[in-house]
Each structure stands twice: as C-alpha cells, then as structure tokens.
Amino acid sequence: MMITPFDATLTAAELMSNPMAKSLVLAELAEVQVEAGLIDNALANINLIPNLSEKRQVLFRLAFRAVQENKTEHLLRFIRTMVEVDPKSMSSVGRLAQSLLENGNLEKAIELVQVIEKPFDSELNRYNFIAKFIELAENEQLDNAQLFLETFSDKDYRDWGNLALAKRLVLLKQLPEAQTIAESFSFPLRQSWAFFELSRLTAGKNHDVFLHRAGEILETISIEPDLAESLAIQFRILGKTALKTGNTELGLRLLEWSETAASQISVPIQRFRAQYFLAKVLRELGRIHSVQEYLDPAKWKQLEISGLDRSRIGVWAAEAEPANSLTFWSIAVQDAGKPEQKSTDISRSERIVEILRRFNLSNNKLPPSGEPERDAVNLSAEEFEEYYYSPFAIKDCNC
C-alpha cells in the first residue's frame, strides 16, 4: 500500500514531543485535507491536536473559509465539532452567521444560529444579526425573523427588532402586517413612534393614516414630570412633519401639545432647550415672527446655573433665530469663559472651541451624515435631536 504525503505527515507529527510543533503540523494537515475533500480524515486529525486553542482556531478558520467560499455543505460539521471541543466558542457562530448574511445566504445563516444554543455573546450582536437579516429578507423569509425575535430576553432589543420588521414590511407593501406590529408595542411613546416611522416610508393616503395614528396615540399620554421632556420632543417632531406634509390641523395641535409639555419640564436648562427648539420650528414654519417675542431671553439670563450650562442656552437661542444671533453667540462664549469654582481652564476652553466650531458652521446647511459625532457639530441642536431622537433608543446600542 502506497504511503501518501498525508500519511507521512501524520506519522511525523506523532513522533513530535513538542505540543506546539505537533499542533502546527496537524492543523496544516487538516486544512490541506479539507481542500482535498477528505473531511472525515481532517476532523480525525484535528481531534489529535494537543493544544486546545489551536484546535479551536483551525476549526473556526475552516468554518469561515466555508462561509467565504459559499461551501456550506460541511459548515455545520465544523461548527458542531468546534462547540464540542470548546463550548465557549459558541459565540463565534454568530460572527459566522453574520458573514453568511453578507454573502446573501439567509437560509443557512438562520439555520446556523438555530442549531447552536448560544450563538451570540450579547443581545447587541444578536440584534445586529436579525436587523441585517430583516433588511435583506423577502416576504417568505420574514416568518423566520418573527420567530427569531421571540428569542430576545431583553424587551428593549425585541422592540427594536420588531420596529425594523414593521418598516421592512412596509417596504414590501405588507401594510396591514406592519400596522399590527406597530399596534403591539406596550409603551405608548414607542407605539406612536412606530407609526411615525411607518409614515416616513409611505406617501399619500397611507402616510396620512399612519401619521394621524401616531398623533392620536401620543395625545392619549398624560404629561407627567418624568415624561414631559420626551413628550415635548416627540410632539414637536411629529407636529413639524405634519405641517410640512400638509396635515395642518394635526400639526398645529401637536405643536401646541409640545408647548404644554415643554412648560412642565422641571429642570430649567432642559425646559429652555425644549422651548427654544420648539421656537426654532415655529419660526421656520412661519407660525411666529420672532423667537425673542415668543421666549424672553431675560428669563434664562438670571438662572442660577453654571456658565457652561448658560452658554448652551445661548447657543440654542442663536440657532433658533439666525438673523439676530450674533449677540447670543457672543454671550455664549462669554458665559463659557467665566471662571467658576466648578469649571477649569480646560473645560472652559473645550466649550469655547465647541461654540466657535458651531458658529463657523451655522451658516453652512449640511445634511445629516449618519455619524453622530460629526452631526453634533454640523447640525443645529434641534436638527440633531430630530434626526437621532427615538423612544426605542437602547443605551449600549448607539441607535
């Protein structure tokens, strides 16, 4: 019987006393055997690798290569063996499944995460996977998404995933199904926002139906102190959209609600933030002639707050009415630069630099980039909030 190079390599490895050297040879032998289609032999030789880390790594490499080359017929064998070798490697499966999605192999990706008990090491990674799946899925594949969303132990992530699913259904013209999901959210702020998100993806009658439903739900919420700021924001954003899309009666009513909610915000600086953002919107929509007539600057100039905080109000005032803003930009710099016990030269200088950057860009209208750090400077504070606010936001999700 003729001895093959594979046989000779295995014999040589067995003669090695150094575990690392033996692991290196057996790992390479297994990878070459897989290339030759000798999967059983490769898995047997992987089992002989004495170093656990190398054994796990070669299995992951083989699995990843199978994904990249779209050779998934042996993928599950590699994955199962890897998990048997080291149960802690289960979280690697999620990364492989994500790669399958990016290669367009949705069915195999779902299959992969279903056969392993814990394919993700965090709810965030689980969410990123299902969000990508939903983005790519067609109608007949979305049943898998619905089942997968039920596996979330964190309700916030489950809600976020359901919102993504509802939006995808709208894009696939499945409006009744999307509406059913939007109605299912238990937190009214989220329920209202879900309909608002759906309205953004539709036009004509469907847009109006979804937008009116979003406003209707929002108006049923009692303005309590702990919700006042969120309500002021959401009423303002929905009202602004309604007016811009011709829903005048709804828009005016929602902006009036925003004004009421803003007045009930207990923290002064947050109250002025909401009021100036609303004033900016009202001026832009032609509902007031002047922000200063609507909101007297004297009301905040005497507040017992730090200079740094007062400078923030100055910037909001400047952004609310650009035509008369030069004085407020100057006041903001002056307030930021005042020596105070609770501030340092460094904190004051950083704030002044931030104000100057925003002043420099205040006349350059740039669209949102989708990058929060850049948009925090390039957009007005009101525009930034409109673009990034969501009652679905999850603390560690950056969403």
Short mmCIF file of all heavy atoms in Angstrom, two decimals, residues 326-363:
data_model
loop_
_atom_site.label_atom_id
_atom_site.label_comp_id
_atom_site.label_asym_id
_atom_site.label_seq_id
_atom_site.Cartn_x
_atom_site.Cartn_y
_atom_site.Cartn_z
N LEU A 326 -26.02 86.99 16.38
CA LEU A 326 -24.63 87.34 16.70
C LEU A 326 -24.45 87.65 18.18
O LEU A 326 -23.47 87.23 18.80
CB LEU A 326 -24.20 88.54 15.85
CG LEU A 326 -22.69 88.77 15.76
CD1 LEU A 326 -21.99 87.55 15.19
CD2 LEU A 326 -22.38 90.01 14.93
N THR A 327 -25.40 88.36 18.76
CA THR A 327 -25.32 88.70 20.18
C THR A 327 -25.33 87.44 21.05
O THR A 327 -24.55 87.32 22.00
CB THR A 327 -26.49 89.61 20.59
OG1 THR A 327 -26.41 90.83 19.85
CG2 THR A 327 -26.45 89.92 22.08
N PHE A 328 -26.18 86.50 20.71
CA PHE A 328 -26.28 85.27 21.51
C PHE A 328 -25.03 84.40 21.38
O PHE A 328 -24.62 83.76 22.34
CB PHE A 328 -27.54 84.49 21.13
CG PHE A 328 -28.81 85.13 21.61
CD1 PHE A 328 -29.72 85.65 20.70
CD2 PHE A 328 -29.09 85.24 22.96
CE1 PHE A 328 -30.89 86.25 21.13
CE2 PHE A 328 -30.26 85.83 23.41
CZ PHE A 328 -31.16 86.35 22.48
N TRP A 329 -24.44 84.36 20.18
CA TRP A 329 -23.17 83.61 20.04
C TRP A 329 -22.11 84.23 20.94
O TRP A 329 -21.34 83.51 21.62
CB TRP A 329 -22.69 83.65 18.59
CG TRP A 329 -23.42 82.72 17.65
CD1 TRP A 329 -24.22 83.08 16.61
CD2 TRP A 329 -23.41 81.29 17.66
NE1 TRP A 329 -24.73 81.96 15.97
CE2 TRP A 329 -24.24 80.85 16.60
CE3 TRP A 329 -22.79 80.33 18.46
CZ2 TRP A 329 -24.46 79.51 16.31
CZ3 TRP A 329 -23.01 78.99 18.18
CH2 TRP A 329 -23.83 78.57 17.13
N SER A 330 -22.06 85.57 20.98
CA SER A 330 -21.06 86.26 21.82
C SER A 330 -21.33 86.01 23.30
O SER A 330 -20.40 85.75 24.08
CB SER A 330 -21.10 87.77 21.53
OG SER A 330 -20.81 88.03 20.17
N ILE A 331 -22.60 86.06 23.69
CA ILE A 331 -22.97 85.80 25.08
C ILE A 331 -22.59 84.37 25.46
O ILE A 331 -22.10 84.11 26.58
CB ILE A 331 -24.48 86.04 25.30
CG1 ILE A 331 -24.80 87.53 25.21
CG2 ILE A 331 -24.94 85.47 26.64
CD1 ILE A 331 -26.29 87.85 25.25
N ALA A 332 -22.81 83.43 24.55
CA ALA A 332 -22.46 82.03 24.83
C ALA A 332 -20.97 81.87 25.10
O ALA A 332 -20.57 81.15 26.04
CB ALA A 332 -22.88 81.14 23.65
N VAL A 333 -20.14 82.54 24.31
CA VAL A 333 -18.68 82.48 24.54
C VAL A 333 -18.32 83.13 25.87
O VAL A 333 -17.52 82.59 26.65
CB VAL A 333 -17.92 83.16 23.38
CG1 VAL A 333 -16.44 83.25 23.70
CG2 VAL A 333 -18.13 82.39 22.09
N GLN A 334 -18.94 84.28 26.16
CA GLN A 334 -18.65 84.98 27.42
C GLN A 334 -19.03 84.13 28.63
O GLN A 334 -18.27 84.01 29.60
CB GLN A 334 -19.39 86.32 27.46
CG GLN A 334 -18.87 87.34 26.46
CD GLN A 334 -19.77 88.56 26.34
OE1 GLN A 334 -20.88 88.60 26.90
NE2 GLN A 334 -19.33 89.55 25.57
N ASP A 335 -20.22 83.51 28.57
CA ASP A 335 -20.66 82.66 29.68
C ASP A 335 -19.75 81.45 29.84
O ASP A 335 -19.42 81.05 30.97
CB ASP A 335 -22.10 82.18 29.44
CG ASP A 335 -23.12 83.27 29.71
OD1 ASP A 335 -22.80 84.20 30.48
OD2 ASP A 335 -24.23 83.20 29.15
N ALA A 336 -19.33 80.86 28.73
CA ALA A 336 -18.45 79.68 28.79
C ALA A 336 -17.09 80.03 29.37
O ALA A 336 -16.43 79.19 30.00
CB ALA A 336 -18.28 79.08 27.40
N GLY A 337 -16.64 81.27 29.16
CA GLY A 337 -15.29 81.66 29.60
C GLY A 337 -15.22 82.18 31.02
O GLY A 337 -14.11 82.45 31.52
N LYS A 338 -16.34 82.34 31.71
CA LYS A 338 -16.32 82.89 33.07
C LYS A 338 -15.69 81.90 34.05
O LYS A 338 -16.13 80.75 34.15
CB LYS A 338 -17.74 83.22 33.52
CG LYS A 338 -18.36 84.41 32.81
CD LYS A 338 -19.78 84.66 33.27
CE LYS A 338 -20.39 85.85 32.52
NZ LYS A 338 -21.81 86.06 32.92
N PRO A 339 -14.65 82.33 34.78
CA PRO A 339 -14.03 81.44 35.78
C PRO A 339 -15.03 81.11 36.88
O PRO A 339 -15.67 82.00 37.45
CB PRO A 339 -12.87 82.28 36.33
CG PRO A 339 -12.62 83.32 35.28
CD PRO A 339 -13.96 83.63 34.68
N GLU A 340 -15.18 79.83 37.14
CA GLU A 340 -16.11 79.39 38.17
C GLU A 340 -15.49 78.24 38.95
O GLU A 340 -14.61 77.54 38.45
CB GLU A 340 -17.44 78.92 37.55
CG GLU A 340 -18.24 80.03 36.89
CD GLU A 340 -19.53 79.50 36.28
OE1 GLU A 340 -19.56 78.34 35.86
OE2 GLU A 340 -20.52 80.27 36.23
N GLN A 341 -15.99 78.04 40.15
CA GLN A 341 -15.45 77.01 41.03
C GLN A 341 -15.58 75.61 40.43
O GLN A 341 -14.70 74.77 40.58
CB GLN A 341 -16.15 77.07 42.39
CG GLN A 341 -15.55 76.12 43.42
CD GLN A 341 -16.23 76.26 44.78
OE1 GLN A 341 -17.15 77.04 44.94
NE2 GLN A 341 -15.76 75.51 45.76
N LYS A 342 -16.69 75.35 39.72
CA LYS A 342 -16.95 74.01 39.21
C LYS A 342 -16.41 73.77 37.80
O LYS A 342 -16.65 72.73 37.21
CB LYS A 342 -18.47 73.74 39.22
CG LYS A 342 -19.05 73.65 40.63
CD LYS A 342 -20.52 73.29 40.58
CE LYS A 342 -21.10 73.18 41.99
NZ LYS A 342 -22.54 72.81 41.98
N SER A 343 -15.68 74.74 37.27
CA SER A 343 -15.09 74.56 35.94
C SER A 343 -13.59 74.81 35.99
O SER A 343 -13.08 75.42 36.92
CB SER A 343 -15.76 75.50 34.93
OG SER A 343 -15.47 76.85 35.24
N THR A 344 -12.90 74.33 35.00
CA THR A 344 -11.44 74.52 34.90
C THR A 344 -11.13 75.23 33.59
O THR A 344 -11.98 75.36 32.71
CB THR A 344 -10.72 73.16 34.91
OG1 THR A 344 -11.09 72.43 33.72
CG2 THR A 344 -11.09 72.34 36.13
N ASP A 345 -9.88 75.68 33.46
CA ASP A 345 -9.48 76.30 32.20
C ASP A 345 -9.69 75.34 31.03
O ASP A 345 -10.09 75.76 29.94
CB ASP A 345 -8.01 76.72 32.26
CG ASP A 345 -7.81 77.97 33.12
OD1 ASP A 345 -8.81 78.63 33.47
OD2 ASP A 345 -6.65 78.30 33.43
N ILE A 346 -9.41 74.07 31.28
CA ILE A 346 -9.55 73.08 30.21
C ILE A 346 -11.01 72.92 29.80
O ILE A 346 -11.35 72.95 28.61
CB ILE A 346 -8.98 71.70 30.64
CG1 ILE A 346 -7.47 71.80 30.84
CG2 ILE A 346 -9.31 70.63 29.61
CD1 ILE A 346 -6.70 72.13 29.59
N SER A 347 -11.90 72.75 30.78
CA SER A 347 -13.31 72.57 30.45
C SER A 347 -13.88 73.81 29.78
O SER A 347 -14.70 73.71 28.85
CB SER A 347 -14.12 72.21 31.70
OG SER A 347 -14.09 73.27 32.65
N ARG A 348 -13.45 74.99 30.22
CA ARG A 348 -13.93 76.22 29.60
C ARG A 348 -13.39 76.36 28.18
O ARG A 348 -14.12 76.76 27.27
CB ARG A 348 -13.54 77.43 30.45
CG ARG A 348 -14.30 77.51 31.78
CD ARG A 348 -14.12 78.86 32.46
NE ARG A 348 -12.75 79.09 32.90
CZ ARG A 348 -12.26 78.70 34.08
NH1 ARG A 348 -13.04 78.05 34.93
NH2 ARG A 348 -11.02 78.96 34.42
N SER A 349 -12.12 76.04 28.00
CA SER A 349 -11.54 76.17 26.66
C SER A 349 -12.20 75.19 25.69
O SER A 349 -12.47 75.53 24.53
CB SER A 349 -10.04 75.93 26.70
OG SER A 349 -9.73 74.58 27.03
N GLU A 350 -12.47 73.96 26.14
CA GLU A 350 -13.12 72.98 25.28
C GLU A 350 -14.50 73.45 24.86
O GLU A 350 -14.92 73.27 23.71
CB GLU A 350 -13.21 71.63 26.00
CG GLU A 350 -11.86 70.92 26.14
CD GLU A 350 -11.95 69.65 26.95
OE1 GLU A 350 -12.98 69.48 27.67
OE2 GLU A 350 -11.01 68.83 26.89
N ARG A 351 -15.22 74.06 25.80
CA ARG A 351 -16.57 74.55 25.48
C ARG A 351 -16.51 75.72 24.49
O ARG A 351 -17.31 75.79 23.55
CB ARG A 351 -17.28 74.98 26.78
CG ARG A 351 -18.65 75.58 26.58
CD ARG A 351 -19.59 74.64 25.86
NE ARG A 351 -20.87 75.29 25.56
CZ ARG A 351 -21.70 74.89 24.62
NH1 ARG A 351 -21.42 73.83 23.89
NH2 ARG A 351 -22.83 75.54 24.41
N ILE A 352 -15.55 76.62 24.67
CA ILE A 352 -15.43 77.76 23.76
C ILE A 352 -15.08 77.28 22.35
O ILE A 352 -15.64 77.76 21.36
CB ILE A 352 -14.36 78.75 24.28
CG1 ILE A 352 -14.88 79.45 25.54
CG2 ILE A 352 -14.01 79.78 23.21
CD1 ILE A 352 -13.85 80.30 26.25
N VAL A 353 -14.18 76.29 22.26
CA VAL A 353 -13.83 75.73 20.96
C VAL A 353 -15.06 75.13 20.29
O VAL A 353 -15.29 75.31 19.08
CB VAL A 353 -12.72 74.66 21.10
CG1 VAL A 353 -12.57 73.85 19.83
CG2 VAL A 353 -11.39 75.32 21.47
N GLU A 354 -15.87 74.41 21.08
CA GLU A 354 -17.09 73.81 20.53
C GLU A 354 -18.03 74.89 19.99
O GLU A 354 -18.62 74.74 18.91
CB GLU A 354 -17.78 73.00 21.62
CG GLU A 354 -19.06 72.31 21.15
CD GLU A 354 -19.77 71.57 22.29
OE1 GLU A 354 -19.17 71.41 23.37
OE2 GLU A 354 -20.93 71.17 22.08
N ILE A 355 -18.19 75.99 20.76
CA ILE A 355 -19.08 77.08 20.32
C ILE A 355 -18.57 77.70 19.03
O ILE A 355 -19.34 77.95 18.09
CB ILE A 355 -19.20 78.14 21.43
CG1 ILE A 355 -19.90 77.56 22.66
CG2 ILE A 355 -19.97 79.36 20.91
CD1 ILE A 355 -19.84 78.46 23.88
N LEU A 356 -17.25 77.95 18.95
CA LEU A 356 -16.68 78.56 17.76
C LEU A 356 -16.88 77.68 16.53
O LEU A 356 -17.17 78.18 15.43
CB LEU A 356 -15.19 78.84 17.97
CG LEU A 356 -14.86 79.98 18.96
CD1 LEU A 356 -13.36 80.05 19.19
CD2 LEU A 356 -15.39 81.31 18.44
N ARG A 357 -16.72 76.38 16.70
CA ARG A 357 -16.94 75.47 15.57
C ARG A 357 -18.38 75.52 15.09
O ARG A 357 -18.65 75.57 13.88
CB ARG A 357 -16.58 74.04 15.99
CG ARG A 357 -15.08 73.78 16.10
CD ARG A 357 -14.81 72.38 16.61
NE ARG A 357 -13.38 72.13 16.70
CZ ARG A 357 -12.85 71.09 17.34
NH1 ARG A 357 -13.65 70.21 17.95
NH2 ARG A 357 -11.54 70.91 17.37
N ARG A 358 -19.29 75.54 16.04
CA ARG A 358 -20.70 75.56 15.66
C ARG A 358 -21.07 76.91 15.05
O ARG A 358 -21.87 76.97 14.11
CB ARG A 358 -21.57 75.24 16.87
CG ARG A 358 -21.34 73.84 17.39
CD ARG A 358 -22.29 73.47 18.48
NE ARG A 358 -23.64 73.34 17.96
CZ ARG A 358 -24.57 72.58 18.52
NH1 ARG A 358 -24.29 71.89 19.59
NH2 ARG A 358 -25.77 72.52 18.02
N PHE A 359 -20.49 77.99 15.57
CA PHE A 359 -20.73 79.31 14.99
C PHE A 359 -20.22 79.36 13.55
O PHE A 359 -20.89 79.86 12.65
CB PHE A 359 -20.04 80.38 15.82
CG PHE A 359 -20.00 81.73 15.16
CD1 PHE A 359 -21.17 82.48 14.99
CD2 PHE A 359 -18.80 82.27 14.69
CE1 PHE A 359 -21.14 83.72 14.37
CE2 PHE A 359 -18.77 83.51 14.07
CZ PHE A 359 -19.94 84.24 13.92
N ASN A 360 -19.04 78.79 13.33
CA ASN A 360 -18.44 78.80 12.00
C ASN A 360 -19.29 78.02 10.98
O ASN A 360 -19.35 78.37 9.81
CB ASN A 360 -17.04 78.18 12.06
CG ASN A 360 -16.31 78.29 10.75
OD1 ASN A 360 -16.28 79.35 10.13
ND2 ASN A 360 -15.69 77.20 10.31
N LEU A 361 -19.96 76.97 11.47
CA LEU A 361 -20.76 76.12 10.58
C LEU A 361 -22.24 76.51 10.53
O LEU A 361 -23.00 75.92 9.77
CB LEU A 361 -20.64 74.66 11.02
CG LEU A 361 -19.27 74.01 10.79
CD1 LEU A 361 -19.16 72.71 11.59
CD2 LEU A 361 -19.03 73.74 9.31
N SER A 362 -22.61 77.50 11.34
CA SER A 362 -24.04 77.81 11.48
C SER A 362 -24.67 78.32 10.18
O SER A 362 -25.88 78.19 9.99
CB SER A 362 -24.25 78.85 12.59
OG SER A 362 -23.55 80.06 12.29
N ASN A 363 -23.85 78.90 9.29
CA ASN A 363 -24.39 79.39 8.02
C ASN A 363 -24.25 78.38 6.88
O ASN A 363 -24.65 78.65 5.76
CB ASN A 363 -23.69 80.70 7.63
CG ASN A 363 -24.03 81.83 8.60
OD1 ASN A 363 -25.17 81.95 9.05
ND2 ASN A 363 -23.03 82.64 8.94
#
